[in-house]
């Protein structure tokens, strides 16, 4: 079955170039679709596989709409969604593609988070493995494939799915506008449709460092809006740790017995205070 890789870019050209380099070092996909959310139309290098670019107009981070646009441009029977800040291992495309051919599921692989400065020209997989840290809340098997403990652990950083299944699920819900909850919503809708989340041993991605915030106060308006949409559909609150932190800062109302209310946007000082040190990978 043919495989299309889909990635989204907005102001992350350096990360995108590493992603494409990683794809070029392994089993090539049938194509890579790059959805440009920020208008970048500068030429991209040839790594031996077809490259398509989709220009998506609009402000902010329309992640759901961008992923759906990527799917519409993709011709593969298997779709692999790979965040632009991830470098794929040499076996990621072949490994996730094979598992998606075997299983009608959302299939994720392990991701190692890299500290600042870990990726240099001529990088080697062993060096990235040595520098990276696996996320502590997700456990991947040493071999084979296992069910995720619950759909909320679905990881949109890198996952594979059959194109026909993606279409049957309706893709990502574009009513989730901007950052937050669109991936968790997909996973719970998939579970309701009998499509599980599976964790695979094959493949790995290395997450390239970029500034991170805890909580992500710069996205509070998106997160509050999307949390309300998720709660209305599924009956519980997603991202509850972030919502609690926002309430503690006075950005949202603490009462979540009804619709979540955004009280104000963060100040520049609050955004600066939430930024994690570069030494922390996540």
């Amino acid at each position: 079955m043919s495989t299309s890789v889909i990635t989204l870019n907005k102001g992350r050209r350096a990360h995108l170039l590493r992603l494409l380099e990683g794809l070029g070092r392994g089993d090539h996909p049938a194509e890579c679709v790059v959805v440009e959310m920020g208008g970048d139309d500068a030429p991209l290098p040839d790594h031996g596989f077809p490259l398509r670019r989709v220009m998506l107009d609009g402000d902010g981070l329309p992640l759901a709409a961008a992923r759906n646009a990527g799917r519409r441009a993709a011709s593969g029977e298997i779709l692999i969604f790979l965040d632009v800040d991830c470098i794929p291992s040499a076996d990621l495309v072949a490994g996730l593609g094979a598992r998606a051919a075997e299983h009608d599921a959302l299939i994720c692989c392990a991701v190692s988070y890299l500290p600042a400065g870990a990726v240099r020209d001529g990088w080697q997989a062993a060096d990235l493995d040595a520098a990276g840290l696996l996320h502590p809340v997700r456990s991947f098997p040493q071999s084979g494939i296992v069910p995720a403990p619950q759909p909320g652990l679905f990881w949109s950083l890198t996952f594979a799915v059959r194109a026909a299944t993606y279409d049957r699920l309706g893709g990502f819900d574009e009513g989730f506008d901007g950052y937050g909850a669109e991936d968790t919503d997909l996973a719970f809708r998939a579970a309701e449709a009998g499509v599980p989340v599976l964790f695979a041993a094959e493949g790995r991605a290395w997450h390239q460092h970029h500034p991170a915030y805890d909580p992500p106060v710069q996205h509070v308006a998106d997160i509050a809006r999307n949390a309300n949409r998720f709660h209305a559909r599924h009956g519980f609150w997603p991202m509850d740790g972030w919502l609690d932190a926002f309430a503690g800062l006075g950005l949202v109302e603490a009462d979540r017995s009804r619709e979540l209310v955004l009280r104000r946007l963060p100040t520049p000082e609050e955004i600066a205070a939430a930024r994690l040190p570069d030494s922390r990978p996540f």
Side-chain angles (χ1 to χ4, degrees):
M1 300 177 76
S2 60
T3 301
S4 297
V5 171
I6 299 168
T7 191
L8 319 179
N9 178 44
K10 185 168 188 176
R12 296 280 179 84
R13 182 176 178 83
H15 286 170
L16 174 61
L17 294 178
R18 298 294 193 191
L19 180 155
L20 296 174
E21 181 183 0
L23 289 176
R25 292 191 186 191
D27 293 300
H28 291 177
E31 65 188 352
C32 179
V33 177
V34 181
V35 182
E36 298 285 3
M37 299 184 292
D40 183 357
D41 61 358
L44 294 172
D46 180 3
H47 287 285
F49 50 84
L51 194 62
R52 299 186 184 186
R53 298 175 87 176
V54 177
M55 297 297 171
L56 191 68
D57 295 330
D59 299 324
L61 287 172
L63 300 177
R67 292 192 184 108
N68 289 345
R71 186 278 167 271
R72 289 192 297 272
S75 61
E77 298 162 282
I78 302 294
L79 309 175
I80 295 178
F81 288 85
L82 189 62
D83 272 11
V84 72
D85 48 18
C86 290
I87 299 173
S89 63
D91 62 341
L92 185 147
V93 169
L96 286 187
R99 289 302 184 183
E102 296 169 356
H103 300 276
D104 189 15
L106 304 177
I107 303 175
C108 303
C109 67
V111 178
S112 290
Y113 283 74
L114 299 171
V119 186
R120 298 179 177 87
D121 290 344
W123 57 268
Q124 297 298 316
D127 295 331
L128 300 189
D129 277 339
L133 290 176
L134 294 172
H135 200 284
V137 302
R138 294 173 176 85
S139 296
F140 288 81
Q142 294 299 308
S143 62
I145 196 162
V146 299
Q150 51 104 347
L153 291 177
F154 171 64
W155 218 351
S156 61
L157 278 174
T158 173
F159 74 97
V161 63
R162 297 174 184 173
T165 300
Y166 187 89
D167 294 343
R168 175 161 57 90
L169 295 172
F172 286 86
D173 176 2
E174 297 184 20
F176 289 90
D177 183 20
Y179 182 91
E182 83 291 338
D183 48 359
T184 310
D185 170 74
L186 175 66
F188 276 93
R189 286 192 290 111
E192 291 166 2
V195 178
V197 177
L198 302 179
F199 286 173
E202 291 86 1
R204 172 174 296 219
W206 298 282
H207 181 276
Q208 302 175 79
H209 183 270
H210 58 76
Y213 298 80
D214 187 20
V217 292
Q218 75 277 27
H219 296 303
V220 64
D222 287 356
I223 289 171
R225 181 177 61 251
N226 289 342
N228 278 322
R229 184 173 183 83
F230 186 98
H231 183 267
R233 171 175 289 161
H234 298 286
F236 64 95
W237 293 103
M239 310 174 288
D240 53 341
W242 289 348
L243 298 182
D244 288 342
F246 293 157
L249 292 169
L251 301 178
V252 301
E253 295 285 357
D255 181 8
R256 297 208 293 272
S257 63
R258 50 186 172 77
E259 182 174 294
L260 183 68
V261 176
L262 178 69
R263 295 183 63 187
R264 62 178 179 85
L265 297 177
T267 65
E269 292 75 19
E270 287 171 324
I271 294 175
R275 178 170 173 173
L276 296 174
D278 285 346
S279 58
R280 283 188 54 181
F282 45 75

